[in-house]
């Protein structure tokens, strides 16, 4: 009976929920990228811009419900028209927002050409979605027919973008000439993003990713429904109530800690880079899409944990996200980013003197989730009486790897500090700082400069001499004996 319920649950999920989540997520993230680039290049906002932007966000919020109507009434062309009309309304509102935020003057011809390119791209959006809506109205397309037509509309959109770019390049070949490669043109994304200041900032992408992780981590909590009698009978005892919701509670706990570990990995990857490439953005969005549907798999796992299918599905879902995070880390280390038309592609990771020490532990921490998850899936598929216990190895190995990384980095810092002490770097820095304090009453610590009073100056000078004396004492034991005899 449980297996039949599980099969029915998976059929319903794969047929409706996964498709709905994937399509809605990528459509919303697509418009989020365009919206982020627009606001990054906007320096002044009027009331009209705020009003049109509100209309754009309102139309965008109708995406999920319009797609749900289209899937529910798949044989009614009106449902397809509603979905396509929402897409057209969104593109038109965004086009007007772009028009209202147009700069008053352009400082160069290249800036004007870059703005025209993105403006033409917005017009292509409106034309493509308008054409799709007209075809639906003329031929009464239903869901299946529209699915086949949507690929043609998408192909039409990319074809028009390509032809418009080639047409503009042929008219302004000098402006689009690549200074780094003779005879070639600057890539469209590099040209547009540089001359319109339309790069997506790291802070915006980090905020978007954190929002997805936060919603996914707490979404399962909404599925916990406290039982209450509807027929007027006395309410059940609290123990019985907890028994009724224990499956959803354990699913929430499992998904929260699993998504928490994934978020820590994602945060560590983002902290190691200064910028990101389009390839990084693609895999990041794909990872977030899987994170958004992960709570369902944990709900099935907890409620049907005695069946193989539940264990295998949950482990594969979690392992897939782990693999995508490994790919993200490889992309940050191996893929170069070209930030401007006059600059060569460069790596975007931050310099870390302890990276050679961190690297094996970073790889261990990132590989823990996919290795243990896929290993558990294989064991669950081959062993008849399988329980969930190997799945719990992930947090244990993860915590051990994190502790080992912190331990070795701390020891490396101690070793580096001792080498600086032995070479006299610390003493020279301390003497230079003391001289600055004694002469000018100015103390420089890191990037800050502080003006000290006379009393502060005397105290800091005395403390600096004491530190120098202690450093000399550690290097020369004879000096220590001499100081003690003098005392």
């Amino acid at each position: 009976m449980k297996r039949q319920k599980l099969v029915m649950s998976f059929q319903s999920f794969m047929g409706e929920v996964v498709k709905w989540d994937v399509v809605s997520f990528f459509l919303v993230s697509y418009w989020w990228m365009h919206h982020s680039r627009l606001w990054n290049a906007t320096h002044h906002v009027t009331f009209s811009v705020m009003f049109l932007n509100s209309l754009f966000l309102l139309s965008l919020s109708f995406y999920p419900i319009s797609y749900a109507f289209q899937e529910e009434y798949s044989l009614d062309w009106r449902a397809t028209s509603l979905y396509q009309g929402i897409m057209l309304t969104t593109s038109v509102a965004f086009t007007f927002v772009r028009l209202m935020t147009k700069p008053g003057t352009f400082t160069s011809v290249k800036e004007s050409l870059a703005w025209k390119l993105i403006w033409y791209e917005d017009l292509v959006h409106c034309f493509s979605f308008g054409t799709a809506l007209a075809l639906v109205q003329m031929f009464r397309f239903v869901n299946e027919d529209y699915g086949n037509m949507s690929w043609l509309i998408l192909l039409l959109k990319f074809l028009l973008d390509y032809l418009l770019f080639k047409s503009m390049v042929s008219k302004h070949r000098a402006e689009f000439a690549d200074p780094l490669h003779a005879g070639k043109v600057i890539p469209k994304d590099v040209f547009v993003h540089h001359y319109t200041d339309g790069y997506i900032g790291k802070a915006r992408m980090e905020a978007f990713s954190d929002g997805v992780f936060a919603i996914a981590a707490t979404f399962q909590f909404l599925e916990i429904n406290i039982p209450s009698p509807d027929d007027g009978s006395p309410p059940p005892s609290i123990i019985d109530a907890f028994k009724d919701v224990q499956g959803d509670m354990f699913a929430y706990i499992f998904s929260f800690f699993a998504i928490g570990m994934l978020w820590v990995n994602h945060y560590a990857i983002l902290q190691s880079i200064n910028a990101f490439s389009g390839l990084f953005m693609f895999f990041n969005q794909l990872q977030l899409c899987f994170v958004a549907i992960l709570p369902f798999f944990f709900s099935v796992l907890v409620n049907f944990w005695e069946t193989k299918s539940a264990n295998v599905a949950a482990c594969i879902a979690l392992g897939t996200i782990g693999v995508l995070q490994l790919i993200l880390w490889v992309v940050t280390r191996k893929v170069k980013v070209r930030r401007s038309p006059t600059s060569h592609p460069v790596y975007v990771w931050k310099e870390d003197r302890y990276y050679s020490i961190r690297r094996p532990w970073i790889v261990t921490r990132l590989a823990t989730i996919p290795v243990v998850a896929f290993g558990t899936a294989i064991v669950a598929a081959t062993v008849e009486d399988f329980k969930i216990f190997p799945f719990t190895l992930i947090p244990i190995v993860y915590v051990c790897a994190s502790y080992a990384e912190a331990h070795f980095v701390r020891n490396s810092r101690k070793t580096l500090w001792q080498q600086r002490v032995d070479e006299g770097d610390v003493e020279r820095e301390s003497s230079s700082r003391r001289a600055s304090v004694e002469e000018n009453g100015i103390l420089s610590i890191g990037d800050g400069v502080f003006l000290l009073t006379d009393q502060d100056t005397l105290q800091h000078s005395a403390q600096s001499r004491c530190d120098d004396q202690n450093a000399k004492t550690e290097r020369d034991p004879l000096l220590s004996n001499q100081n003690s005899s003098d005392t």
Side-chain angles (χ1 to χ4, degrees):
M1 187 65 181
K2 283 187 176 181
R3 185 177 296 276
Q4 293 178 354
K5 290 182 179 179
L6 182 64
V7 172
M8 293 175 60
S9 178
F10 268 114
Q11 288 178 349
S12 175
F13 176 73
M14 297 302 294
E16 298 178 5
V17 180
V18 166
K19 187 177 179 181
W20 174 84
D21 178 83
V22 171
V23 173
S24 299
F25 184 86
F26 275 101
L27 281 175
V28 173
S29 62
Y30 175 79
W31 283 113
W32 168 79
M33 288 188 292
H34 281 274
H35 191 260
S36 299
R37 294 190 179 106
L38 171 63
W39 285 109
N40 193 51
T42 302
H43 304 289
H44 180 68
V45 178
T46 62
F47 176 78
S48 300
V49 173
M50 294 176 61
F51 178 74
L52 291 172
N53 184 66
S54 299
L55 292 180
F56 164 74
L57 296 177
L58 177 64
S59 178
L60 187 63
S61 65
F62 276 94
Y63 259 26
I65 189 172
S66 62
Y67 187 81
F69 268 106
Q70 181 189 0
E71 290 295 315
E72 186 68 23
Y73 300 94
S74 58
L75 300 180
D76 193 340
W77 63 273
R78 297 179 184 84
T80 306
S81 299
L82 173 63
Y83 175 69
Q84 195 59 48
I86 292 297
M87 297 183 70
L88 177 61
T89 305
T90 305
S91 60
V92 170
F94 186 81
T95 302
F96 276 103
V97 173
R98 177 88 69 185
L99 182 62
M100 295 298 294
T101 56
K102 178 183 177 181
T105 56
F106 296 101
T107 58
S108 65
V109 178
K110 293 182 178 180
E111 289 187 4
S112 176
L113 293 175
W115 191 89
K116 288 181 180 180
L117 277 175
I118 57 178
W119 167 245
Y120 291 157
E121 185 176 358
D122 295 335
L123 293 179
V124 167
H125 283 141
C126 298
F127 176 78
S128 301
F129 295 143
T131 303
L133 180 60
L135 292 176
V136 171
Q137 297 291 326
M138 292 171 58
F139 299 102
R140 298 294 193 266
F141 282 139
V142 294
N143 196 14
E144 295 181 358
D145 299 328
Y146 174 76
N148 298 327
M149 184 193 68
S150 60
W151 293 105
L152 297 178
I153 297 298
L154 188 64
L155 180 62
L156 174 65
K157 187 263 180 190
F158 285 113
L159 180 61
L160 290 176
D161 284 338
Y162 177 78
L163 293 177
L164 287 173
F165 178 67
K166 288 297 182 181
S167 175
M168 190 168 290
V169 169
S170 62
K171 295 179 181 179
H172 306 275
R173 188 169 297 276
E175 285 74 11
F176 285 94
D178 193 339
L180 304 178
H181 305 89
K184 294 185 179 181
V185 299
I186 303 172
K188 178 183 176 181
D189 56 342
V190 175
F191 185 88
V192 170
H193 297 165
H194 178 73
Y195 289 109
T196 62
D197 196 19
Y199 287 103
I200 299 179
K202 177 187 169 185
R204 287 189 68 94
M205 189 191 67
E206 193 169 359
F208 178 78
S209 302
D210 289 346
V212 174
F213 274 103
I215 294 174
T218 56
F219 179 79
Q220 189 61 37
F221 186 79
L222 301 178
E223 298 296 322
I224 302 176
N225 296 318
I226 300 176
S228 59
D230 298 330
D231 54 359
S233 59
S237 64
I238 189 172
I239 297 178
D240 295 334
F242 272 115
K243 288 182 179 180
D244 291 338
V245 300
Q246 63 179 355
D248 293 331
M249 291 184 65
F250 279 112
Y252 168 67
I253 294 172
F254 272 131
S255 63
F256 187 89
F257 280 102
I259 294 175
M261 288 187 294
L262 294 171
W263 175 80
V264 171
N265 285 345
H266 187 264
Y267 176 78
I269 293 173
L270 289 182
Q271 290 300 109
S272 65
I273 60 176
N274 294 311
F276 51 88
S277 60
L279 189 62
F280 182 91
M281 174 66 75
F282 171 76
F283 283 108
N284 183 66
Q285 300 300 93
L286 188 61
Q287 173 217 196
L288 295 178
C289 183
F290 277 95
V291 168
I293 62 177
L294 187 61
F296 169 83
F297 289 100
F298 280 102
S299 179
V300 174
L301 171 66
V302 173
N303 288 283
F304 304 98
W305 67 278
E306 293 181 351
T307 59
K308 289 183 178 181
S309 302
N311 287 276
V312 172
C315 293
I316 290 178
L318 187 61
T320 302
I321 300 175
V323 171
L324 290 174
Q325 288 192 336
L326 271 173
I327 295 175
L328 279 179
W329 181 75
V330 173
V331 168
T332 60
R333 310 305 299 186
K334 301 298 182 181
V335 177
K336 295 182 177 181
V337 177
R338 183 176 179 179
R339 301 295 293 175
S340 70
T342 58
S343 65
H344 291 278
V346 296
Y347 293 111
V348 295
W349 69 72
K350 295 180 180 178
E351 295 296 333
D352 185 2
R353 67 174 68 181
Y354 305 106
Y355 176 71
S356 59
I357 301 173
R358 294 182 186 272
R359 182 170 54 188
W361 303 107
I362 293 175
V363 175
T364 301
R365 197 170 64 242
L366 290 174
T368 296
I369 294 178
V371 169
V372 177
F374 284 121
T376 306
I378 294 173
V379 174
T382 55
V383 178
E384 188 67 27
D385 296 329
F386 175 75
K387 303 299 181 183
I388 197 176
F389 300 115
F391 192 70
T392 58
L393 289 175
I394 292 179
I396 298 175
V397 178
Y398 189 89
V399 171
C400 291
S402 300
Y403 177 79
E405 176 187 352
H407 174 73
F408 282 100
V409 170
R410 184 167 56 250
N411 289 343
S412 177
R413 287 176 176 172
K414 291 181 179 179
T415 303
L416 181 62
W417 174 258
Q418 188 61 40
Q419 291 176 355
R420 293 183 62 194
V421 170
D422 295 340
E423 294 173 359
D425 293 342
V426 176
E427 182 179 352
R428 286 193 293 270
E429 291 179 4
S430 179
S431 300
S432 176
R433 187 180 301 150
R434 186 177 65 250
S436 176
V437 170
E438 292 177 347
E439 293 178 3
N440 305 317
I442 296 177
L443 173 60
S444 175
I445 301 177
D447 296 331
V449 178
F450 306 92
L451 182 63
L452 304 180
T453 62
D454 295 339
Q455 184 177 0
D456 293 333
T457 302
L458 295 176
Q459 292 179 355
H460 187 271
S461 301
Q463 183 64 36
S464 299
R465 293 191 185 94
C466 184
D467 293 340
D468 293 344
Q469 188 65 29
N470 292 335
K472 294 178 181 179
T473 302
E474 292 178 358
R475 295 196 304 269
D476 192 354
L478 295 178
L479 183 60
S480 176
N481 297 332
Q482 181 180 357
N483 290 339
S484 60
S485 61
D486 294 342
T487 303

